[in-house]
């Protein structure tokens, strides 16, 4: 499958919310602790994604014209104490029906970071989500610390680019 990552413009973001709901249901069905335990859609609702789109921070992945994933790129993140020139990856989600979208997003993030003279990619994941932690480690991320936001406790992870 051919995926394309691009900055979101006037796309219908309700499909993105549907993908997130699908992921939350999948997390519940697979006893995975992440968005399903942190009221994710109460915090990151359609208004949030519209705002990220308007600020030029929301990127979508499409396949054959269909939204199959997304990510928010930030250049700073208060969860990290140092202010390294890094690309902070948030709200990464992929459609369950499309394989390899997550890796495509990480690979595309590396290219974006290099192009913008950034030194690393940074993200976090729930400390209870061992599968996701192992997945990120398989892509070259290393644990650099922990963060706490409300009832969410996550591992801060970094990958040099």
């Amino acid at each position: 499958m051919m995926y394309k990552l691009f900055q979101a413009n006037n796309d219908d973001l309700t499909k993105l919310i549907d993908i997130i709901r699908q992921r939350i249901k999948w997390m519940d069905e697979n006893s995975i602790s992440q968005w399903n335990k942190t009221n994710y859609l109460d915090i990151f609702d359609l208004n949030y994604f519209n705002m990220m789109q308007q600020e030029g921070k929301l990127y979508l992945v499409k396949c054959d014209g269909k939204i199959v994933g997304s990510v928010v790129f930030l250049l700073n993140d208060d969860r990290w104490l140092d202010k390294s020139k890094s690309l902070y990856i948030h709200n990464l989600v992929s459609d369950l029906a499309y394989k390899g979208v997550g890796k495509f997003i990480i690979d595309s993030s590396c290219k974006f970071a290099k192009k913008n003279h950034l030194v690393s990619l940074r993200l976090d994941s729930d400390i209870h989500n061992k599968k996701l932690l192992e997945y990120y480690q398989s892509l070259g991320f290393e644990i650099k610390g922990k963060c706490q936001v409300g009832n969410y406790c996550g591992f801060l992870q970094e990958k040099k680019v």
Side-chain angles (χ1 to χ4, degrees):
M1 285 185 221
M2 187 63 134
Y3 299 127
K4 291 185 181 180
L5 179 79
F6 61 94
Q7 196 170 24
N9 44 40
N10 293 323
D11 295 286
D12 177 12
L13 298 182
T14 57
K15 174 59 180 161
L16 173 55
I17 298 298
D18 290 343
I19 293 171
I20 293 169
R21 282 193 181 105
Q22 185 184 80
R23 271 289 170 186
I24 290 171
K25 182 178 181 229
W26 175 82
M27 289 173 186
D28 283 335
E29 292 169 350
N30 289 278
S31 301
I32 295 172
S33 177
Q34 187 86 23
W35 299 342
N36 54 336
K37 305 297 183 198
T38 59
N39 300 318
Y40 189 84
L41 279 173
D42 292 341
I43 301 163
F44 303 108
D45 60 5
L46 187 58
N47 289 330
Y48 166 82
F49 288 104
N50 276 321
M51 184 174 66
M52 292 297 103
Q53 177 178 326
Q54 290 169 6
E55 292 177 9
K57 298 173 183 174
L58 179 65
Y59 288 76
L60 300 176
V61 178
K62 284 191 175 180
C63 181
D64 297 325
K66 179 181 177 189
I67 296 172
V68 298
S70 77
V71 63
V72 170
F73 288 160
L74 303 176
L75 295 177
N76 57 51
D77 185 339
D78 291 338
R79 297 175 190 186
W80 291 78
L81 297 178
D82 72 327
K83 299 303 173 196
S84 167
K85 288 184 65 171
S86 298
L87 181 63
Y88 298 87
I89 299 171
H90 284 281
N91 311 105
L92 191 157
V93 67
S94 62
D95 189 315
L96 288 162
Y98 292 81
K99 301 297 178 208
V101 175
K103 183 175 182 330
F104 172 79
I105 290 172
I106 297 298
D107 291 345
S108 298
S109 301
C110 281
K111 291 175 187 170
F112 181 95
K114 286 178 185 177
K115 180 180 174 187
N116 289 281
H117 310 290
L118 303 172
V119 298
S120 64
L121 299 180
R122 289 180 166 182
L123 50 73
D124 59 84
S125 64
D126 192 292
I127 62 169
H128 300 104
N129 191 339
K130 294 190 187 319
K131 286 183 181 182
L132 188 57
L133 177 62
E134 290 170 1
Y135 174 71
Y136 286 139
Q137 287 176 333
S138 77
L139 296 176
F141 285 87
E142 296 178 4
I143 296 173
K144 296 295 182 177
K146 291 183 181 178
C147 65
Q148 180 83 38
V149 180
N151 64 348
Y152 170 77
C153 185
F155 283 122
L156 297 172
Q157 299 167 67
E158 180 179 61
K159 175 182 179 165
K160 298 292 183 189
V161 296

